[in-house]
Amino acid sequence: NIFIFDGDNIIVRKSSENNTDSINFIFEKSHNNLDGGHGNVDNDDLLGQILFKGSNGSNYVEKSNINVLGNGDLTLDTDGDIILDANGGNIKFKDDNTNVLKFNNSSGSWIIKNRTDGGNFTLSNTGNGSKLILDSNGTATDALQLISAGGIDIDAGTGGITIDSTSISAGIKIGTVTSGVPISIGHTTSVVTINDNLIVTGDLTVNGTRTEVNSTVKTIKDPVITLGDDTTVDSMDRGIEYKWYSSSAKIGFFGFDR
């Protein structure tokens, strides 16, 4: 290797002009150049920039790979910003030389990929009283999307789940894209409450032991009402029972008395 000092920079250049050869940059411990003998470059001794580039003769080339190797931690600490600039569009994180996480930029759209089969990708915020916020300033109708080839499980524990919208035109839609998708709401022993008007466009089937309707006015446009079941033998009456009050509770009945 050839070491060149041009007054401002120290350049380490491979003596061979074959740009496929690798160049090893080695920082050795020295009390004059390193901070406390811990392998950290002292900011007081290095003013300006540290540039790593492959070299072909006297011309720098941008094709060479730069590897920083060590058997301890690598710390990047600066009073300014830390900038990762990759013209290839990918920033990869490895564990023992195995790809585990990749940030991919495609025409300004970022994709974060977990490259480990069966591995989880977790965004965790464990601070007391803190929040984990996914914020999209997009104005499209699908500005924030959750897309999964499998299922999506949302579990808030004891905190509850609130889904809300300020749009009185778009509203909140569940299961409106694909026809025939079944929708299940509530546990088999839970109570589902509709706080306002309910419109059922299709058929309505109620399976249970009791159906109670508490409304002031009931309007039924069907001129024929069917009561009872003709598939089993029973001795039950058919008709309508009605109640009223006159000095005491009264019950009336009209229909077919078996």
Side-chain angles (χ1 to χ4, degrees):
N1 297 332
I2 300 175
F3 295 83
I4 302 174
F5 178 66
D6 63 1
D8 294 317
N9 303 296
I10 299 177
I11 303 173
V12 183
R13 181 176 296 165
K14 190 74 173 179
S15 58
S16 170
E17 294 186 359
N18 184 358
N19 61 8
T20 61
D21 291 344
S22 63
I23 302 176
N24 297 322
F25 298 85
I26 302 174
F27 293 90
E28 294 183 349
K29 292 182 179 179
S30 170
H31 68 279
N32 292 325
N33 297 320
L34 300 179
D35 179 17
H38 295 291
N40 299 320
V41 179
D42 194 338
N43 193 43
D44 294 334
D45 297 326
L46 295 174
L47 302 176
Q49 296 179 333
I50 303 175
L51 302 177
F52 295 91
K53 290 185 178 182
S55 175
N56 179 12
S58 59
N59 299 318
Y60 285 119
V61 295
E62 304 287 347
K63 300 178 181 179
S64 299
N65 295 327
I66 303 298
N67 296 319
V68 179
L69 304 176
N71 56 7
D73 296 333
L74 174 62
T75 301
L76 302 178
D77 189 357
T78 178
D79 291 336
D81 298 327
I82 296 177
I83 300 173
L84 301 177
D85 189 354
N87 288 340
N90 295 312
I91 298 176
K92 302 176 182 179
F93 293 83
K94 293 185 177 183
D95 183 5
D96 196 18
N97 208 34
T98 300
N99 287 326
V100 293
L101 186 65
K102 182 171 87 169
F103 288 69
N104 172 256
N105 177 29
S106 177
S107 301
S109 297
W110 277 95
I111 301 175
I112 303 176
K113 293 182 178 180
N114 181 3
R115 305 303 300 272
T116 304
D117 292 338
N120 296 328
F121 181 79
T122 303
L123 296 177
S124 178
N125 188 0
T126 58
N128 186 23
S130 58
K131 300 178 181 180
L132 179 61
I133 300 175
L134 298 179
D135 187 2
S136 173
N137 290 324
T139 58
T141 56
D142 56 351
L144 180 61
Q145 300 183 35
L146 296 177
I147 302 175
S148 173
I152 297 177
D153 185 9
I154 301 176
D155 188 354
T158 60
I161 297 175
T162 300
I163 301 176
D164 207 347
S165 173
T166 59
S167 173
I168 61 175
S169 58
I172 298 173
K173 300 176 181 178
I174 301 175
T176 60
V177 176
T178 304
S179 176
V181 175
I183 298 174
S184 179
I185 301 176
H187 190 268
T188 56
T189 59
S190 65
V191 177
V192 177
T193 301
I194 307 297
N195 292 318
D196 205 344
N197 300 332
L198 174 65
I199 298 176
V200 179
T201 303
D203 297 336
L204 174 63
T205 301
V206 179
N207 296 319
T209 57
R210 177 175 176 173
T211 301
E212 182 175 342
V213 180
N214 295 317
S215 61
T216 303
V217 178
K218 301 175 184 64
T219 301
I220 301 175
K221 291 186 177 182
D222 194 335
V224 177
I225 299 176
T226 301
L227 303 177
D229 183 9
D230 60 359
T231 61
T232 59
V233 177
D234 64 67
S235 59
M236 301 179 66
D237 299 336
R238 303 290 191 272
I240 297 177
E241 180 185 88
Y242 54 93
K243 299 179 179 181
W244 82 98
Y245 184 86
S246 178
S247 300
S248 63
K250 308 293 184 180
I251 297 178
F253 173 83
F254 66 87
F256 176 56
D257 187 355
R258 296 291 300 273

